[in-house]
Amino acid sequence: MQIALSARPIPNCNSTPQPLNISRLTLTAFRNHRDYTCEFTAAPVVIAGANGSGKTNLLEAISLLVPGRGLRRAEMADIQSLHHNTPWAVATHLRTAFGDLSIGIGRDPNATDNDRRLVHIDGQNARSQNALADHVAMAWITPAMDGILNEGASARRKWLDRLVYSFNPAHSGRVTRYEKAMRERSRLLREGPADAHWLNALESEMAQSGVAIAAARRHLLQQLRTAIAETSGAFPRADLALKGMAEEALDDQPALIIEDHLRAALARTRGEDAQSGTCSVGVHRSDLAVTHRAKQCPAELCSTGEQKALMIAIMLAYVRTLLQHRNLSPLFLLDDIAAHLDDTRREALFEEILTLKVQAWLTGTDTDAFAPILPYAQL
């Protein structure tokens, strides 16, 4: 696979310097890329090549510039090249609204935990990967996401929380605290008899963090509903709703009252949870309901093509939401996107990308599928 930068003119809608774009990307021992370096402009990037040439690996490397495991949700050890012992690393130079920025991430060769990564921001060690969210926002659409809308609540909930991370960087820490307290509560109940004071403390943490998580999810959905109305008419409108004790209660009750209710529910279900080994109440059981508005049909009952179009509509709305409400231009990764759209929706997607003025990264096997955007992109 080759990426040759073009000198094509960028249209007026994309001529303004991008608030955030990657100007240089270097990969070392990252999957099938032993030593890769390329420079880029702010224009959309089209990466065309045969299957297995490493297109998705490039997007995965970029996706690690935000907290989490990236678009593949891979273990850090799995990213390491099988043929090179040098620890894998990703180095980027970015242009931002606040000046140039360098970010480096990679496997820590001295860590006993193979899943630990090092994060450097402008040459300084970051205390945790959560610091990345202060500098970079990102959205992506991959073939692996095609089933999210008809899978179980867990997949939709995790997807929603990943969206909230870029919209509200503090959300990641709240989810971490909530899940840690929930695991510790389950362990105490399983081993029993548990210290009541310690259980009370853990359940208070779950209640406080849980209500904050629910509020952040609701806030993002409110913004998405507005942004969906502004998405191209080629894509179906999606109605979004949260189903969950805390999320629904926030409609008409103050947060402190809901915390008390959640705390009481956790205390009341200790016996049941000790027997089942699970936690029966909390925001870890909430769900995101998506409905095709025109058809008044739940997304899980829509066709595969309609689900794909709904997902794209939601993600375009998400990018617009980040631009409008966080004043942060996200990197937009679209893996193998063109092959699954008809000509009308493909052209509408490209038009949306250029109008939003984001640095989008698009992969595919056929260059012809990107014909409408190629005059304004780097290939």
Side-chain angles (χ1 to χ4, degrees):
M1 178 186 62
Q2 284 189 320
I3 302 176
L5 301 188
S6 71
R8 300 183 178 98
I10 306 301
N12 289 337
C13 65
N14 202 36
S15 59
T16 303
Q18 300 298 305
L20 174 67
N21 63 84
I22 294 174
S23 59
R24 189 189 312 119
L25 175 66
T26 299
L27 309 185
T28 302
F30 190 99
R31 294 201 183 268
N32 70 328
H33 295 286
R34 177 182 179 180
D35 188 10
Y36 169 94
T37 297
C38 196
E39 295 187 352
F40 304 91
T41 70
V45 181
V46 174
I47 305 171
N51 290 327
S53 58
K55 304 183 300 295
T56 303
N57 294 343
L58 287 177
L59 298 195
E60 181 183 26
I62 295 169
S63 73
L64 294 176
L65 297 176
V66 292
R69 293 183 182 275
L71 58 80
R72 277 194 175 118
R73 305 290 296 163
E75 300 289 335
M76 295 296 104
D78 294 337
I79 293 172
Q80 179 67 42
S81 169
L82 296 177
H83 308 292
H84 305 95
N85 294 326
T86 303
W88 68 263
V90 178
T92 58
H93 188 83
L94 302 102
R95 299 187 187 96
T96 81
F98 308 102
D100 290 356
L101 176 72
S102 296
I103 295 179
I105 53 178
R107 181 170 66 86
D108 184 351
N110 300 316
T112 55
D113 177 6
N114 286 331
D115 208 36
R116 179 184 173 188
R117 74 171 110 153
L118 296 172
V119 177
H120 291 170
I121 300 175
D122 273 345
Q124 301 296 315
N125 288 330
R127 295 185 62 181
S128 78
Q129 62 170 313
N130 290 338
L132 294 168
D134 294 329
H135 303 279
V136 181
M138 201 172 302
W140 59 69
I141 303 175
T142 70
M145 294 168 60
D146 288 350
I148 285 178
L149 297 182
N150 61 10
E151 290 180 0
S154 176
R156 289 188 291 271
R157 185 174 57 250
K158 289 177 180 178
W159 172 53
L160 175 60
D161 281 334
R162 287 199 297 273
L163 298 184
V164 180
Y165 290 160
S166 282
F167 187 72
N168 182 347
H171 189 70
S172 177
R174 296 187 191 110
V175 171
T176 298
R177 290 193 299 273
Y178 179 90
E179 292 179 344
K180 181 179 179 181
M182 182 171 63
R183 288 193 301 269
E184 182 64 11
R185 175 182 180 271
S186 295
R187 184 188 67 79
L188 291 177
L189 292 175
R190 182 176 63 250
E191 294 176 355
D195 183 310
H197 293 295
W198 186 226
L199 279 175
N200 288 340
L202 292 170
E203 289 166 355
S204 289
E205 176 61 53
M206 289 181 65
Q208 293 172 11
S209 297
V211 172
I213 289 167
R217 291 170 177 169
R218 280 171 49 89
H219 184 54
L220 175 59
L221 251 64
Q222 289 168 356
Q223 307 304 329
L224 285 177
R225 292 186 186 110
T226 300
I228 283 172
E230 301 172 2
T231 301
S232 167
F235 295 99
R237 299 288 190 265
D239 286 328
L240 308 176
L242 277 168
K243 297 182 178 179
M245 171 186 165
E247 289 87 351
E248 294 177 52
L250 282 168
D251 284 337
D252 53 19
Q253 296 182 51
L256 289 177
I257 296 297
I258 302 170
E259 286 181 17
D260 290 340
H261 290 169
L262 183 53
R263 193 179 295 109
L266 288 166
R268 188 171 58 250
T269 56
R270 287 176 184 175
E272 173 186 340
D273 292 346
Q275 295 249 338
S276 65
T278 62
C279 184
S280 54
V281 295
V283 295
H284 62 287
R285 293 190 173 273
S286 302
D287 192 10
L288 171 65
V290 180
T291 303
H292 189 304
R293 182 182 300 174
K295 294 188 173 184
Q296 285 298 293
C297 179
E300 60 267 27
L301 301 180
C302 291
S303 70
T304 301
E306 288 172 330
Q307 289 179 8
K308 183 76 173 185
L310 284 167
M311 175 65 74
I312 292 173
I314 293 170
M315 294 307 295
L316 286 171
Y318 176 64
V319 171
R320 186 176 291 108
T321 297
L322 288 171
L323 286 166
Q324 292 178 349
H325 296 278
R326 201 182 163 198
N327 196 27
L328 185 62
S329 175
L331 301 170
F332 196 12
L333 315 181
L334 300 105
D335 190 25
D336 198 25
I337 193 71
H340 303 286
L341 298 175
D342 59 33
D343 290 344
T344 300
R345 283 181 172 161
R346 190 182 302 142
E347 291 183 18
L349 172 61
F350 298 155
E351 183 177 350
E352 286 277 343
I353 289 171
L354 294 173
T355 300
L356 290 168
K357 303 178 183 178
V358 295
Q359 190 185 48
W361 294 67
L362 307 99
T363 71
T365 57
D366 183 5
T367 306
D368 292 342
F370 299 101
I373 201 173
L374 283 181
Y376 318 115
Q378 43 199 320
L379 176 64

